[in-house]
Amino acid sequence: MSNPIFEHFRMLSQMYDGKNNITKEIVEFTQEKSEPINQIQKDLIDYTNSNFKNNFMITDIGQNQLFTLLLKVLNAKKVIDVGVYTGLSSLSFALSIPDDGKVIGLDISNDYVEVATKHWKLANVDKKIQLKIQDATKSLNELIENGESGTYDFIFIDADKVSYDSYYELSLKLIRPGGIIAIDNVLFWGATTIDPNNAKPEHQHFFANEEVNEMINALVKLNDKISNDTRVIKTMLPLSDGITLITKK
Ligand SMILES: C[S@@+](CC[C@H](N)C(=O)[O-])C[C@H]1O[C@@H](n2cnc3c(N)ncnc32)[C@H](O)[C@@H]1O
């Protein structure tokens, strides 16, 4: 897998390892002091890190600890995972919901299904996860057409950045009153906080790739839209690569 965009992302993720001026040691400290993840979650992280060059895509431990807490508080039974990858977020969701709960996992790629399902089976939660492999916008529209609007407790958005606005609008339809939508990568290694026209020389690398630029633009627009969106209550957390939590008014 020598996709040039992956190499660019790898460089960015290495440069911004101590994200948001919080050192790696501090981040690890917060994770150690939080609800522990289980051995299968740890194995899945290790397996992904050792076997996939695009391992920067996996959610981190702190995010999954947050999901565990939020799902318990919400008494969640129905969850949508928009962007499954090797299956960590779906695994965390499935572990946090009751036996009759369900996680709808949406991904466009078959490349990671085997790894994901293997770990879901090992954790004995595979029956709670329903995977749909096609464009996530199409899947979200299908859920709406199936009459599932207003029935989901939690929706995590972590797939194609340029499509985030569509995911957001469709999620607003699918989420129940009091449910939470979580949007990942809202900081994008800090790029969304920088004005490209006044970027310092050390930040120029963010805008050096057209495809990455398109993603940054989409995220900047969505961050602005959500911050002015009177339909919702929101909070942007500098956790991991930035995560915005949203509930409908
Ligand atoms: C950042 S990863 C998700 C990480 C995952 N949530 C985790 O916990 O590790 C993004 C995923 O979105 C998928 N993806 C990209 N474009 C998509 C699209 N248009 N529809 C559905 N999935 C898409 C990719 O195949 C990739 O697996």
Side-chain angles (χ1 to χ4, degrees):
M1 250 192 257
S2 63
N3 186 332
I5 200 167
F6 285 173
E7 293 313 313
H8 195 78
F9 275 132
R10 278 170 66 75
M11 180 195 76
L12 291 179
S13 65
Q14 278 157 16
M15 288 177 76
Y16 284 80
D17 208 16
K19 292 165 191 141
N20 313 322
N21 291 329
I22 295 172
T23 62
K24 206 172 175 177
E25 289 72 25
I26 292 175
V27 170
E28 282 169 8
F29 175 87
T30 64
Q31 294 169 358
E32 277 160 24
K33 297 297 175 198
S34 299
E35 184 65 18
I37 58 166
N38 75 18
Q39 192 55 48
I40 295 159
Q41 288 168 300
K42 281 182 197 157
D43 292 346
L44 178 53
I45 293 168
D46 290 345
Y47 187 89
T48 303
N49 283 335
S50 310
N51 292 281
F52 292 93
K53 275 193 168 176
N54 58 2
N55 55 23
F56 51 81
M57 294 216 287
I58 196 167
T59 46
D60 74 12
I61 293 174
Q63 288 176 291
N64 285 278
Q65 290 168 320
L66 176 69
F67 301 150
T68 302
L69 186 138
L70 289 176
L71 264 57
K72 283 291 168 200
V73 171
L74 289 168
N75 210 4
K77 267 186 146 180
K78 285 183 76 179
V79 179
I80 305 175
D81 191 13
V82 186
V84 174
Y85 187 44
T86 56
L88 181 62
S89 44
S90 289
L91 173 59
S92 301
F93 300 148
L95 287 167
S96 303
I97 59 174
D99 286 344
D100 60 343
K102 70 170 176 181
V103 177
I104 309 287
L106 310 181
D107 208 290
I108 202 162
S109 171
N110 268 310
D111 293 353
Y112 321 106
V113 173
E114 203 182 315
V115 174
T117 47
K118 180 186 158 194
H119 288 83
W120 298 340
K121 276 186 189 144
L122 284 170
N124 202 21
V125 294
D126 52 305
K127 289 186 181 61
K128 292 190 223 173
I129 305 172
Q130 203 181 314
L131 201 50
K132 286 176 188 277
I133 302 293
Q134 61 178 7
D135 181 62
T137 301
K138 188 167 190 272
S139 295
L140 292 168
N141 272 310
E142 285 174 2
L143 294 173
I144 292 167
E145 283 155 22
N146 285 346
E148 296 204 48
S149 290
T151 65
Y152 283 87
D153 302 294
F154 189 81
I155 302 175
F156 180 47
I157 295 177
D158 190 19
D160 170 37
K161 308 309 161 204
V162 176
S163 305
Y164 263 30
D165 188 46
S166 312
Y167 304 153
Y168 173 60
E169 288 299 333
L170 296 169
S171 296
L172 281 175
K173 293 196 171 119
L174 287 160
I175 201 80
R176 69 157 164 90
I180 292 177
I181 301 169
I183 306 186
D184 199 18
N185 307 110
V186 292
L187 291 176
F188 214 71
W189 296 296
T192 58
T193 69
I194 294 165
D195 174 359
N197 300 317
N198 291 311
K200 292 179 188 159
E202 65 265 34
H203 290 142
Q204 299 286 354
H205 54 266
F206 280 132
F207 311 101
N209 176 295
E210 205 176 309
E211 216 176 323
V212 175
N213 247 329
E214 211 188 326
M215 295 180 196
I216 296 170
N217 280 334
L219 289 167
V220 167
K221 276 196 193 138
L222 184 62
N223 285 342
D224 288 345
K225 172 175 162 172
I226 293 171
S227 87
N228 294 310
D229 192 341
T230 54
R231 297 173 295 175
V232 298
I233 298 169
K234 58 272 175 179
T235 184
M236 185 187 278
L237 304 175
L239 175 74
S240 185
D241 192 27
I243 185 163
T244 299
L245 303 180
I246 297 152
T247 194
K248 277 192 290 195
K249 277 187 184 163

